[in-house]
Amino acid sequence: MVKKLASVFSFVYVVNLVVLLILLAVSPAIQLSVFQIGELMGLNLVASGVETGLVWLIRQPQLHKIAVLKGKIEGIQNAAPPTHVLLRPDDDLYQLAMAINNLQTHQRRLLETQRHQDAEMSLLLTSLPVGVMVIDRYRKVELANRAMGAFLETTIDEQRHPYTQDIKNYELATLISQAIEARATQQATVTLMAVPTPRTVEATVLYAPSPHNDFFAIVLLYDITEIAAIEKMQRDFLTNASHELKTPVTAITGFAETLSAGAKDDPETLTKFLGIIQREGARLTDLITDVLSISRIESQTVAAPKLMKVLLADLVDEQFEVMQQSAAGQSIELVNAVDQHAVILADRDKLIEILKNLISNAIKYNRPNGQVRVSYQQTAAQWTLTVADTGIGISQADQTRVFERFYRVDSSRNKQVVTGTGLGLAIVAELVAAMKGQIHLESQRGVGTSFVVTIPQSHATPDR
């Protein structure tokens, strides 16, 4: 309505102006008075004022809408809460308002997608067992996850700070410096002096260039402590096995050659040398048996338990008899504390191998004039076999690892050199597990060690 009135007054103003100009041109001819010309000019000024007022009324809402749209654009720049501008479809600014609304909707979706991606990335970094740290061109930490803090045993500040504030390990700090200076990815195995035990990590520093001569260094730490320990144990096993194989073979060959050279004609020497050959042959057989046993375990071909009634005391006596000579060499007393009438349902072959390894260990790691004692208890739920010695004991650090394959207690710590492959207790643990049982140890340095095997009575039920 206002627009129509403005158009009418504009038309009147223009017509009036044209008439006035014509009258001024011909006024001498038609003899118009000054008063009449003044009235026409006044009427024209009134029409002009009315038109100006109407134009102002028309433009004021438009200016307000423009101000609202400007504020909307500023709000989009500042990520303000989404409030759309609503105009009538016939409004001159309708298309512009819709374009701004659509822009804000698109921006909101992008921001929401970015937030989701950031949240997923944060969750991923937090959950990763791999340590991650991002270092910028100014050698400051942009990002680090929880695992990295655990590896470095420190709380990493979320604010940007020099990476040397967190990384105190010389090898790792040098690796990062080399990657930045050489502008190339670096990789190395690094030992972190962690508590309670050192940790071995595979450290990779990725050099990631970016535009404008910028770059990032991404530090990745992957824990390979167990892998390194297994590799070391396997190397030690090869060394031990080579030595264990060479010693009896050398002894057997040497004494056989001596006998062939004429020593066999002396009955006393013959008996002595044959005894040595027999012992070394038994030692060689034990080594081969251990290797074959662990091979069967590795290939998961351990046979299912074959249950039968076993007189446990007799089984212990048999093993004592086999190892009597080894025990006598250290004046170790072998005590069978198992009830002579105790009968259990068990896999005889597996039980023999368990007893053989536990008693052998108890003799090896005992002290002169010590004792090895085998005892037995039974309840309605389970039966328990205990092999105890009065030996050197096992340190707390070693207790958690003695059942690992190839692991042997460091002789430098126990000051006692013993033979063996480090497979015996690993074999025992696997055999006990095959019988649905458990094994644990109780040990005190300088006092002795007890290995306790517990088998549930549910296992000791013959197949029907």
Side-chain angles (χ1 to χ4, degrees):
M1 181 63 181
V2 174
K3 286 184 178 180
K4 291 180 179 179
L5 287 174
S7 299
V8 170
F9 274 94
S10 180
F11 176 74
V12 170
Y13 170 75
V14 171
V15 170
N16 192 31
L17 182 60
V18 170
V19 170
L20 179 60
L21 291 174
I22 294 172
L23 290 176
L24 287 174
V26 300
S27 57
I30 58 175
Q31 298 181 345
L32 289 176
S33 66
V34 174
F35 178 75
Q36 289 172 322
I37 293 173
E39 282 184 336
L40 289 172
M41 292 183 67
L43 180 61
N44 195 51
L45 289 173
V46 170
S48 177
V50 171
E51 182 186 8
T52 301
L54 290 174
V55 169
W56 181 85
L57 287 175
I58 292 170
R59 285 186 55 79
Q60 192 61 29
Q62 295 295 87
L63 292 174
H64 174 71
K65 293 173 188 176
I66 291 171
V68 170
L69 292 175
K70 179 183 176 184
K72 181 69 174 176
I73 294 172
E74 292 173 351
I76 292 174
Q77 291 176 337
N78 300 321
T83 303
H84 284 181
V85 177
L86 300 178
L87 298 179
R88 294 170 57 87
D90 58 350
D91 194 291
D92 294 338
L93 300 176
Y94 175 76
Q95 293 298 329
L96 178 60
M98 290 301 295
I100 294 174
N101 289 340
N102 291 336
L103 176 62
Q104 186 180 44
T105 300
H106 179 66
Q107 185 207 40
R108 187 172 71 251
R109 288 173 180 167
L110 288 178
L111 290 174
E112 195 140 335
T113 301
Q114 185 65 44
R115 278 195 295 269
H116 281 308
Q117 290 176 345
D118 290 345
E120 289 172 358
M121 181 63 71
S122 176
L123 179 61
L124 177 63
L125 286 175
T126 301
S127 304
L128 272 178
V130 178
V132 180
M133 177 181 283
V134 179
I135 301 171
D136 64 17
R137 64 181 296 187
Y138 303 105
R139 277 65 165 177
K140 292 190 176 182
V141 178
E142 287 277 358
L143 173 70
N145 68 347
R146 189 182 304 166
M148 178 61 78
F151 277 120
L152 301 176
E153 293 193 320
T154 186
T155 301
I156 299 177
D157 194 344
E158 293 184 0
Q159 302 296 322
R160 290 176 70 251
H161 59 276
Y163 74 83
T164 51
Q165 180 178 316
D166 306 313
I167 298 177
K168 307 297 183 182
N169 182 277
Y170 175 76
E171 292 178 90
L172 185 55
T174 302
L175 195 68
I176 295 171
S177 178
Q178 289 174 345
I180 294 174
E181 290 174 5
R183 298 187 176 186
T185 296
Q186 304 290 323
Q187 190 172 31
T189 299
V190 175
T191 300
L192 301 177
M193 301 307 295
V195 177
T197 56
R199 301 172 77 174
T200 304
V201 298
E202 188 71 39
T204 303
V205 183
L206 301 173
Y207 181 84
S210 59
H212 310 298
N213 201 31
D214 201 357
F215 70 87
F216 287 98
I218 304 172
V219 184
L220 304 174
L221 299 184
Y222 180 70
D223 193 346
I224 59 169
T225 304
E226 291 187 8
I227 297 172
I230 290 171
E231 288 178 350
K232 181 181 183 302
M233 285 189 291
Q234 288 175 337
R235 289 194 300 271
D236 292 345
F237 167 71
L238 291 175
T239 302
N240 294 336
S242 299
H243 174 73
E244 293 292 322
L245 282 168
K246 183 179 179 179
T247 302
V249 169
T250 302
I252 292 170
T253 303
F255 284 110
E257 289 175 353
T258 303
L259 289 172
S260 298
K264 64 179 182 297
D265 297 329
D266 180 2
E268 185 178 347
T269 303
L270 176 62
T271 302
K272 180 182 177 182
F273 282 11
L274 287 176
I276 295 173
I277 291 173
Q278 185 179 13
R279 285 197 303 274
E280 293 302 322
R283 180 177 170 186
L284 189 59
T285 301
D286 288 343
L287 173 62
I288 294 170
T289 300
D290 281 352
V291 174
L292 291 176
S293 295
I294 206 68
S295 177
R296 288 196 302 270
I297 290 167
E298 288 282 1
S299 61
Q300 298 180 343
T301 58
V302 177
K306 297 177 181 178
L307 300 180
M308 63 180 68
K309 289 184 178 180
V310 176
L311 194 60
L312 185 57
D314 288 353
L315 211 62
V316 174
D317 283 338
E318 288 177 15
Q319 294 306 308
F320 278 177
E321 187 176 349
V322 171
M323 300 181 198
Q324 181 61 50
Q325 191 170 8
S326 176
Q330 299 185 65
S331 301
I332 294 173
E333 180 186 12
L334 302 178
V335 178
N336 185 352
V338 178
D339 185 341
Q340 294 298 312
H341 303 290
V343 177
I344 61 173
L345 285 170
D347 186 313
R348 180 184 174 86
D349 293 338
K350 287 183 174 58
L351 194 54
I352 287 174
E353 196 157 1
I354 289 170
L355 280 169
K356 181 194 74 174
N357 280 290
L358 292 181
I359 295 172
S360 174
N361 257 30
I363 294 172
K364 285 179 182 178
Y365 291 95
N366 217 313
R367 62 181 76 245
N369 302 310
Q371 183 186 88
V372 174
R373 181 184 181 87
V374 180
S375 58
Y376 164 81
Q377 289 182 330
Q378 183 170 348
T379 66
Q382 62 192 25
W383 58 265
T384 302
L385 181 69
T386 303
V387 178
D389 65 58
T390 56
I392 57 178
I394 302 173
S395 69
Q396 195 68 35
D398 287 322
Q399 286 182 28
T400 60
R401 301 193 59 192
V402 292
F403 295 109
E404 294 178 10
R405 297 167 189 176
F406 312 113
Y407 185 77
R408 296 181 67 191
V409 175
D410 187 354
S411 60
S412 65
R413 286 186 284 178
N414 58 45
K415 298 180 181 180
Q416 184 173 359
V417 178
V418 296
T419 60
T421 60
L423 291 174
L425 290 178
I427 292 170
V428 169
E430 296 285 355
L431 293 173
V432 170
M435 298 169 69
K436 310 300 182 186
Q438 294 181 333
I439 183 170
H440 71 277
L441 68 91
E442 300 165 0
S443 186
Q444 185 176 346
R445 292 303 299 269
V447 176
T449 302
S450 295
F451 285 91
V452 183
V453 176
T454 303
I455 307 294
Q457 290 287 9
S458 58
H459 163 76
T461 300
D463 295 334
R464 296 178 182 271

